[in-house]
Amino acid sequence: MAQITLNGNPIHTNGQLPAINTQAPDAQFTNNELKDIHLKEYQGKNIILNIFPSLDTPTCAMSVRKFNQEANQLLNTVTVSYTHLT
């Protein structure tokens, strides 16, 4: 279990966070065209996984758009945004 800090309070995560610059295992996502994509399709590029709980609020949607705009300016980098619904 890893620990992160939010507003000065320790929070424990489920599992371990990956170390910076470690290779991610292949994973499958559905893109905005409803086609399956795999992380291995971006081999040789830096991949930023932007995982968030929902786009149900204007603030969350705006935040994800802004994050993707900024991240997509990085060289040799792709952003995969993923809404994790439980």
Side-chain angles (χ1 to χ4, degrees), residues 9-82:
N9 299 310
I11 298 175
H12 298 280
T13 63
N14 184 10
Q16 294 296 320
L17 297 173
I20 294 173
N21 292 324
T22 58
Q23 185 171 346
D26 190 29
Q28 179 178 316
F29 299 92
T30 302
N31 69 14
N32 58 356
E33 297 171 352
L34 301 179
K35 294 181 181 177
D36 291 338
I37 60 168
H38 295 264
L39 288 183
K40 66 183 177 186
E41 295 175 32
Y42 302 109
Q43 188 172 358
K45 294 185 179 272
N46 297 312
I47 302 169
I48 298 174
L49 298 177
N50 183 13
I51 301 170
F52 49 92
S54 175
L55 288 175
D56 290 340
T57 67
T59 301
C60 290
M62 181 178 61
S63 173
V64 169
R65 280 194 302 274
K66 180 66 173 173
F67 179 90
N68 288 340
Q69 287 172 349
E70 296 287 328
N72 287 335
Q73 293 179 20
L74 299 171
L75 296 177
N76 197 39
T77 302
V78 296
T79 303
V80 176
S81 296
Y82 174 69

